[in-house]
Amino acid sequence: MKFTWFHLMPWPNLAEDFRHEHRSVWVDLPNSVFDPARGHEVYNEYLDQLEYAEQLGFDGIGCNEHHSNGYGLMPSPNLIAATLTRRTSKAAIVVLGNSIALYNPPIRVAEEFAMLDCMSGGRLVAGFPVGTSMDTNYAYGTVPALTREKYAEAHELIIKAWTEREPFAFNGRYTKLRYVNCWPRPVQSPRPPVFIPGGGSVETYDFCLENDYNYSYLSYTGYLRAKLLMDGYWERVSERNKDDSPYRAGFAQVICVGETDEEAERLYAEHVSYFYNRCLHIYPGFADAPGYRTVKTIKAGALSQMTRTASEAIGYMSWKELVDDRYIIAGSPETVRQQMEELIKTLRVGHIFCLMQIGNMPAEKVKHSSRLFAEKVMPHLKNIWGEDSHDDRFWIHPLEERAVPAPIPVAATAARPAMVAE
Amino acid sequence: MIDVSNGRAQIRVFEAGKGQDLVFFHGAGGLMPDDPFVARLAQHYRVHAPLLPGYGDSEGAENFRDMLDITLLAGDILDALAVTNPIVVGHSMGGMIAAELAAVAPQAIAKLVLICPAGIWLDEHPIPDLFSLMPHEYPELLFHDVELGTRLITAGLDLENLEFLAEFLITAGRQLGMAGKILFPIPDRGLKDRLYRIRAKTVIVWGDEDKLIRPVYAREFSGRIPRAELVNVAAAGHMVTIEQTEKVVAAIALVA
């Protein structure tokens, strides 16, 4: 198993009556709600947490891309990843990912990911999401029905830019470049492992299988509701006669660990409630711009979360309901271990994206929960798919010898005024 | 069904009536087979009402991506219909397409009627985001008589029923997915700089109570099209064709 400690970077100061004052946490939430000075603290706190996760022994640390979003302060995940390259040394840096249809020209992604791979010594996991409708269509203005075609073309360009060793011309419909020449190029050859976060699009299954990309389902609704979707994925794997390596698939899970079940509730209930009640308050009109999904995907189902009743209900669920219905996995290390094992086996996943900073959860609690998970849960799950099980196709290949940031010489700081005087 | 644009689109055309040829380009909401406005027009004209790809059983949406593609598609449809000196009428998005075609091929269109067309954006009068609306929000924006609109639009809608929801999403996805290529996220593809090319005798029709594209836009169109006459219609919203059908029919007669 590979465990990635994943940060959504939520804004932690949404007001109590937020749901009544604003129709959506995403797209049109005014930035007057954001306080930059508090933002300074929040970014630093969140980066500390990601760095701490490496110390705890998580295999990866991760972030993603959202725009105009009150629960995801990462319009540029590559900036977050860049800072992580310097204060971490072992963990995979999992960027899940860059919404490649939004970059103009998309060669920018090939370049920045290559920089991150070089800076980190080959620790980059490169995620290529199509992007949600909220981000891609409403916040970034991409025409819904053209989003997938644009995405496919950007993907083709990026992979070719990484693998070609001579400049080439790229005559795409959306991007025309006379000289494609990706400097730098990634450490990992022929490319960093690629992860595709998906939400049930049938086309995405095939895309992952054709390219040996990991398919990861990022959901906040837990593993019981994910079963149907993941079953569909594994059926497709078998139809396409691909091997069923669990590392082909990943799942994101909200996890809260306390010393006991009671402690978990006492420590984390208010923050979980903040997340489900305030952070996931999304105006349904933004959820799915017409034309963004293909007819094939709509026909395949996965619509149950889209009725107004369903989307409203989730905001008012109690701790007990969220735990009993397995939206979240929370409790003592033993409770969490049992449920995690059930998750991993029933969904058949080799990668877990652990969501452990939830909503407005303060740093001390985040550390407590993460440490308990790393020390008392993770070791029991590590070998679920066999002793030292691993799949080379779906993980990083860092350089054996990696550079270490040099200490900043004290003398240089002292000498600076003199140099200015010269 | 007609095959147009070198085989890239298969277009359903509703045809009815006798008399002078009239081609009607529908708005983003599409056209029902028993559309009362088309039925009324058929009492005076030989009406041809093509459905764009993505609407009804017309196919080929994936082959048309931008304003030029869709403008030329409209031109190909006109050619395929083999009409003689037709009155070209367009409502909302259909008006945008008709105006583009009349600007791109000014010799081809001599009689033009634009009913509250899309295609121009004024920062001071932003057009509501049609694409993020929930179905229950449509009547208020589209109709002067909101009750009538509610009856027409949301009658029989049950969005809590998953089967119905899937059908609804597929239809909306196909139709507005196509419309989005020229209307999303801002319904402006540069038309205002091309309107001067239109040579057709033009009538512009606007409902006084249009809350989707405000009547202030009527002045933009009539000021930029050389031979344009503006007809304002009282007690009508964006669906002026339904709310004041007779007034619109009378306005069309001005170019006939």
Side-chain angles (χ1 to χ4, degrees):
Chain A
M1 284 299 301
K2 298 289 182 203
F3 293 93
T4 293
W5 198 98
F6 198 83
H7 219 313
L8 292 173
M9 300 206 163
W11 179 244
N13 293 85
L14 299 171
E16 186 97 44
D17 59 354
F18 166 74
R19 257 186 114 84
H20 302 288
E21 293 295 310
H22 302 282
R23 69 170 182 172
S24 190
V25 74
W26 207 338
V27 180
D28 62 355
L29 177 64
N31 72 6
S32 54
V33 169
F34 180 81
D35 165 13
R38 176 79 180 110
H40 169 69
E41 294 169 357
V42 165
Y43 275 118
N44 279 283
E45 188 178 301
Y46 289 172
L47 285 164
D48 290 345
Q49 291 165 6
L50 283 157
E51 289 158 2
Y52 178 64
E54 182 194 66
Q55 294 298 311
L56 290 174
F58 283 84
D59 301 286
I61 46 181
C63 59
N64 63 354
E65 175 177 329
H66 285 311
H67 301 276
S68 312
N69 183 327
Y71 80 74
L73 299 178
M74 276 183 292
S76 174
N78 298 351
L79 292 183
I80 300 297
T83 76
L84 294 175
T85 63
R86 291 282 287 178
R87 292 224 299 176
T88 65
S89 60
K90 302 183 296 287
I93 295 175
V94 183
V95 182
L96 269 192
N98 284 185
S99 302
I100 54 179
L102 305 183
Y103 292 74
N104 182 20
I107 189 71
R108 180 85 187 185
V109 174
E111 292 170 340
E112 289 191 5
F113 271 179
M115 284 177 72
L116 288 171
D117 207 39
C118 287
M119 288 161 71
S120 68
R123 292 189 284 137
L124 179 75
V125 170
F128 295 143
V130 173
T132 66
S133 215
M134 289 72 95
D135 293 316
T136 308
N137 306 130
Y138 290 108
Y140 261 44
T142 305
V143 171
L146 302 178
T147 303
R148 282 164 209 282
E149 189 174 73
K150 216 175 158 191
Y151 170 92
E153 185 182 298
H155 166 261
E156 185 192 338
L157 170 62
I158 291 164
I159 297 296
K160 198 170 175 197
W162 278 345
T163 45
E164 288 288 321
R165 290 292 164 266
E166 293 291 328
F168 63 92
F170 186 82
N171 180 25
R173 192 180 291 280
Y174 300 94
T175 300
K176 293 189 191 293
L177 296 171
R178 189 63 186 78
Y179 303 99
V180 181
N181 189 13
C182 187
W183 276 78
R185 60 187 171 92
V187 164
Q188 297 180 83
S189 179
R191 52 165 176 78
V194 173
F195 280 38
I196 310 291
S201 293
V202 183
E203 294 82 357
T204 311
Y205 298 161
D206 284 344
F207 175 63
C208 289
L209 294 173
E210 278 154 24
N211 293 288
D212 274 339
Y213 294 162
N214 166 284
Y215 179 83
S216 282
Y217 182 31
L218 308 187
S219 142
Y220 307 125
T221 55
Y223 66 96
L224 297 182
R225 274 149 300 274
K227 178 87 169 72
L228 192 65
L229 188 145
M230 290 307 293
D231 282 352
Y233 171 73
W234 287 115
E235 266 168 43
R236 195 68 189 153
V237 172
S238 138
E239 279 166 24
R240 300 287 302 258
N241 289 319
K242 293 283 179 176
D243 65 86
D244 65 350
S245 165
Y247 295 94
R248 284 191 182 283
F251 188 66
Q253 179 63 51
V254 173
I255 303 168
C256 302
V257 197
E259 296 287 357
T260 61
D261 290 356
E262 293 72 30
E263 187 192 86
E265 178 170 3
R266 183 166 51 77
L267 291 181
Y268 310 125
E270 61 174 299
H271 311 299
V272 165
S273 161
Y274 177 98
F275 181 69
Y276 282 94
N277 191 338
R278 291 179 228 179
C279 293
L280 297 188
H281 175 57
I282 299 164
Y283 172 64
F286 292 142
D288 209 350
Y292 166 78
R293 279 175 200 257
T294 62
V295 169
K296 202 171 157 192
T297 297
I298 299 172
K299 280 185 176 158
L303 288 172
S304 54
Q305 292 172 35
M306 295 183 60
T307 65
R308 211 190 310 178
T309 319
S311 59
E312 279 293 306
I314 198 173
Y316 295 103
M317 291 177 79
S318 67
W319 171 265
K320 188 171 178 341
E321 286 168 317
L322 289 166
V323 170
D324 287 351
D325 293 344
R326 303 286 188 272
Y327 279 79
I328 64 173
I329 291 185
S332 71
E334 177 53 19
T335 303
V336 171
R337 185 199 63 74
Q338 281 174 18
Q339 293 176 15
M340 285 299 300
E341 190 173 327
E342 192 176 299
L343 178 164
I344 291 164
K345 287 182 173 164
T346 55
L347 301 185
R348 190 175 177 78
V349 290
H351 296 272
I352 297 286
F353 306 98
C354 307
L355 301 170
M356 309 207 64
Q357 190 284 339
I358 324 290
N360 58 352
M361 192 185 286
E364 282 315 306
K365 293 187 190 178
V366 175
K367 279 188 194 164
H368 181 62
S369 177
S370 303
R371 187 177 49 75
L372 285 173
F373 186 82
E375 289 174 0
K376 299 191 175 172
V377 181
M378 222 154 64
H380 301 288
L381 303 171
K382 201 74 202 147
N383 295 319
I384 273 187
W385 301 115
E387 196 70 26
D388 293 326
S389 86
H390 179 75
D391 192 326
D392 231 24
R393 297 169 295 177
F394 305 104
W395 203 240
I396 54 170
H397 303 84
L399 295 169
E400 293 284 329
E401 306 236 339
R402 299 196 289 282
V404 179
I408 300 168
V410 177
T413 317
R416 201 164 291 151
M419 287 171 70
V420 170
E422 282 162 21
Chain B
M1 270 318 225
I2 55 171
D3 202 72
V4 300
S5 298
N6 207 17
R8 289 183 301 139
Q10 291 72 49
I11 300 294
R12 170 71 58 195
V13 185
F14 296 137
E15 301 205 288
K18 286 200 180 88
Q20 197 178 351
D21 283 313
L22 182 151
V23 178
F24 178 67
F25 290 108
H26 61 77
L31 204 57
M32 301 302 289
D34 55 354
D35 191 275
F37 178 63
V38 170
R40 181 66 186 80
L41 288 178
Q43 292 173 7
H44 292 277
Y45 305 99
R46 173 71 182 156
V47 179
H48 313 260
L51 289 180
L52 288 181
Y55 289 80
D57 57 355
S58 291
E59 292 292 346
E62 67 281 6
N63 298 318
F64 301 87
R65 295 176 179 83
D66 60 18
M67 196 68 236
L68 182 59
D69 285 351
I70 292 170
T71 304
L72 298 182
L73 167 66
D76 289 346
I77 292 171
L78 273 194
D79 290 348
L81 291 173
V83 286
T84 318
N85 191 19
I87 305 172
V88 175
V89 182
H91 177 223
S92 193
M93 173 183 76
M96 179 184 187
I97 296 169
E100 280 284 3
L101 184 58
V104 166
Q107 303 85 343
I109 297 177
K111 300 165 184 175
L112 179 66
V113 179
L114 306 175
I115 306 168
C116 46
I120 294 180
W121 175 270
L122 301 171
D123 285 339
E124 321 82 74
H125 303 281
I127 296 165
D129 179 11
L130 185 71
F131 295 89
S132 69
L133 290 178
M134 299 302 285
H136 64 272
E137 294 172 302
Y138 286 129
E140 181 76 34
L141 274 178
L142 296 178
F143 287 83
H144 167 59
D145 182 346
V146 178
E147 255 179 62
L148 168 74
T150 307
R151 275 203 309 280
L152 290 175
I153 290 184
T154 56
L157 273 185
D158 178 8
L159 297 179
E160 295 298 311
N161 175 327
L162 288 183
E163 230 166 90
F164 190 94
L165 181 67
E167 271 312 305
F168 176 83
L169 288 175
I170 287 169
T171 305
R174 288 187 74 227
Q175 294 188 351
L176 290 181
M178 181 66 178
K181 291 170 181 175
I182 52 175
L183 301 180
F184 189 95
I186 303 263
D188 178 357
R189 298 296 187 266
L191 173 62
K192 74 173 163 36
D193 294 336
R194 297 185 282 272
L195 289 174
Y196 77 93
R197 290 174 49 90
I198 295 177
R199 289 191 203 159
K201 183 176 184 195
T202 304
V203 165
I204 296 161
V205 183
W206 226 288
D208 286 348
E209 311 300 327
D210 192 331
K211 287 180 288 264
L212 185 68
I213 310 178
R214 301 265 171 191
V216 61
Y217 281 90
R219 288 203 300 273
E220 288 295 315
F221 278 91
S222 60
R224 289 169 189 274
I225 297 174
R227 297 166 59 206
E229 181 176 348
L230 175 60
V231 175
N232 293 299
V233 180
H238 194 65
M239 296 308 290
V240 57
T241 51
I242 304 288
E243 292 190 293
Q244 296 292 346
T245 309
E246 295 311 315
K247 298 272 171 57
V248 179
V249 171
I252 292 172
L254 295 173
V255 299

